[in-house]
Amino acid sequence: EAYPLPRLSPLQKLTTDLCKDDKTIKDLVVGRRVGFYKVRGEIGFGTFSRVKLAFHALTKDKVALKILDRTRLDSHAQRLLSREISSMECLRHPNVVCLYEVVETPSRLFLVLEYAGGGDLHNRICTETKLSDVTCKITFAQILSAVKYMHNHNIIHRDLKAENVLLTSTGCVKVADFGFSTQISERSDALDTFCGSPQYAAPELFREECYLGPPVDVWAMGVVLFFMVTGTMPFRADTIGKLRRCVIECAYTVPPWVPGPCQRLIKGILKAAPDERYALDQMMGCNWLLPVEFPWSLVHPEPSSAQQSLLH
Ligand code: ADE
C-alpha cells in the first residue's frame, strides 16, 4: 500500500464499506462528492494541494478536504505526503487538526481533515496588529499543549509558523500542516531538507548541523510568540544571507513595553544553542502563563456527538 491509511471510525467504516460493495473506490469520487462528503468551495491551497470545504452527508459535519493530484507528485512530494499522513494518523489532540479519513483514487488523494473556520494566526495578527495579552496567553498555551503532545509522541512538526496555526470560530487553536514532520527516530533523515520557512528557522538549521531535534519546534514557537505579542517578526532581513546572520547571532530586541514575564519567556526560548533553550515543561511553568489553567478542558468545549462518532 502506497500510503498507510488511518483507522476509520465505525460510522466511516460502514459508509466506506457500503460503497465498496457495489462500486470500486474510484467511483467514490462522483461529481462534487468524495466518498460521503459533499464538496463546496476552495478555502486554501499549497504547493501540491488545494483545500476545499466539504460536508459529511450523514453527520453534516464540516470538514476541510485537502486534494492532491497524484500525477503531479514527484518522489520527494510523495515522501512528504506519506509523512504527513503517518504523523497525523497517530495524533488525537484538541489543538491538532484531526485527520479523519483518506480517500484514494488512481489520480487523486483526499485527506479529510477537521475544519478550522476562524482563519490562521498570521492573518489574525496582521488584521488586528497586536493581540491582547490574555489572547496571546491563551493562544500560546494551546500551541504549547499541542507541541508537547506531538513531542511526547516522537513527532517533530518542523514547519511551525503562524500560518500553520489555524483557529476555530471560537478561537481554539488547531495546529496544521504536518508535511515536513518527522519521527524523532529518523536520525538519518535530519539533513535532507531545509524544512519550513526561513523566518521561523532555528540557528542550527542555518548552521546545517546534523541533529535537528525537538528544539527546532521550540525556536519556531518563540518566533510565533514574539510575532503574536509585538505584531512584528524578531528576525527580518532583505536577503537570506542577512537573515541567516541575524538568526545565528540571535540578534533580536524585545520591545521594552512587552510585559516582563513574557520578555523572559521569549528570551528563554530564542537562544542560539538548542540545549540552552527552554524545555516545554519550563515554558508551561513560566510566570507569564501561570494564570492560565492547564489542561484545556475549559477552553475546549467537548466535541459534538457527531464529531465524536468520527473519532476512534
Ligand atoms: N486550510 C487548510 N487546512 C484547513 C483546515 N483544516 N481547516 C480550514 N482551513 C484549512
Side-chain angles (χ1 to χ4, degrees):
E1 220 171 57
Y3 306 97
L5 293 176
R7 293 177 305 276
L8 297 181
S9 70
L11 175 62
Q12 285 172 313
K13 184 145 179 24
L14 175 71
T15 54
T16 307
D17 286 349
L18 280 174
C19 281
K20 273 187 190 154
D21 268 354
D22 56 350
K23 292 173 176 178
T24 67
I25 194 90
K26 183 165 130 255
D27 298 322
L28 280 172
V29 183
V30 183
R32 311 263 305 153
R33 290 261 308 254
V34 174
F36 274 72
Y37 300 95
K38 293 179 180 171
V39 184
R40 298 284 184 265
E42 191 154 302
I43 50 174
F45 58 89
T47 323
F48 306 108
S49 62
R50 286 172 297 144
V51 183
K52 292 194 172 186
L53 178 65
F55 294 87
H56 192 284
L58 299 181
T59 66
K60 309 288 179 217
D61 271 321
K62 276 184 188 173
V63 293
L65 205 59
K66 188 165 180 174
I67 307 168
L68 296 113
D69 180 352
R70 296 177 100 167
T71 59
R72 289 183 48 224
L73 298 181
D74 57 18
S75 61
H76 178 64
Q78 290 222 10
R79 207 149 46 105
L80 296 182
L81 176 62
S82 70
R83 275 190 198 157
E84 178 168 10
I85 293 174
S86 55
S87 291
M88 290 193 88
E89 64 177 325
C90 51
L91 300 175
R92 287 286 178 273
H93 184 276
N95 300 122
V96 176
V97 165
C98 180
L99 173 64
Y100 294 134
E101 191 172 348
V102 179
V103 177
E104 285 184 274
T105 72
S107 65
R108 282 186 293 174
L109 198 112
F110 302 88
L111 306 193
V112 183
L113 299 164
E114 180 179 13
Y115 175 67
D120 66 55
L121 184 60
H122 182 91
N123 250 317
R124 175 136 192 225
I125 296 168
C126 291
T127 48
E128 292 183 26
T129 315
K130 200 167 79 62
L131 307 186
S132 73
D133 190 57
V134 67
T135 303
C136 290
K137 279 185 180 140
I138 291 181
T139 307
F140 188 72
Q142 292 177 78
I143 299 170
L144 180 51
S145 183
V147 175
K148 172 124 181 83
Y149 173 83
M150 282 175 228
H151 288 188
N152 282 351
H153 285 72
N154 290 336
I155 287 164
I156 316 173
H157 187 286
R158 302 203 299 184
D159 194 19
L160 283 176
K161 54 183 173 181
E163 292 88 331
N164 286 341
V165 176
L166 304 185
L167 302 164
T168 66
S169 51
T170 55
C172 177
V173 162
K174 302 279 174 184
V175 174
D177 223 327
F178 284 73
F180 288 132
S181 64
T182 190
Q183 304 275 327
I184 287 173
S185 58
E186 291 175 29
R187 295 287 286 263
S188 59
D189 197 55
L191 266 176
D192 67 354
T193 35
F194 184 109
C195 300
S197 158
Q199 284 196 307
Y200 290 85
E204 61 269 32
L205 277 156
F206 282 107
R207 286 195 301 256
E208 297 177 23
E209 283 170 10
C210 61
Y211 181 57
L212 307 173
V216 302
D217 282 348
V218 171
W219 175 276
M221 286 168 72
V223 177
V224 171
L225 175 60
F226 188 109
F227 183 35
M228 198 163 48
V229 296
T230 68
T232 59
M233 295 295 279
F235 306 101
R236 276 164 300 161
D238 48 14
T239 67
I240 192 89
K242 287 184 195 160
L243 180 68
R244 177 179 188 275
R245 209 168 323 126
C246 283
V247 172
I248 287 179
E249 290 168 6
C250 227
Y252 67 94
T253 314
V254 186
W257 50 262
V258 172
C262 184
Q263 286 200 31
R264 284 192 285 282
L265 176 59
I266 293 171
K267 288 173 186 166
I269 300 174
L270 293 180
K271 283 191 187 287
D275 52 357
E276 286 173 15
R277 244 165 256 161
Y278 269 7
L280 299 177
D281 285 335
Q282 272 172 294
M283 289 191 217
M284 282 179 144
C286 77
N287 281 339
W288 185 65
L289 283 178
L290 272 187
V292 184
E293 217 177 294
F294 286 89
W296 299 103
S297 51
L298 295 177
V299 180
H300 310 287
E302 285 294 304
S304 69
S305 56
Q307 284 170 334
Q308 273 176 3
S309 75
L310 291 169
L311 295 167
H312 305 306

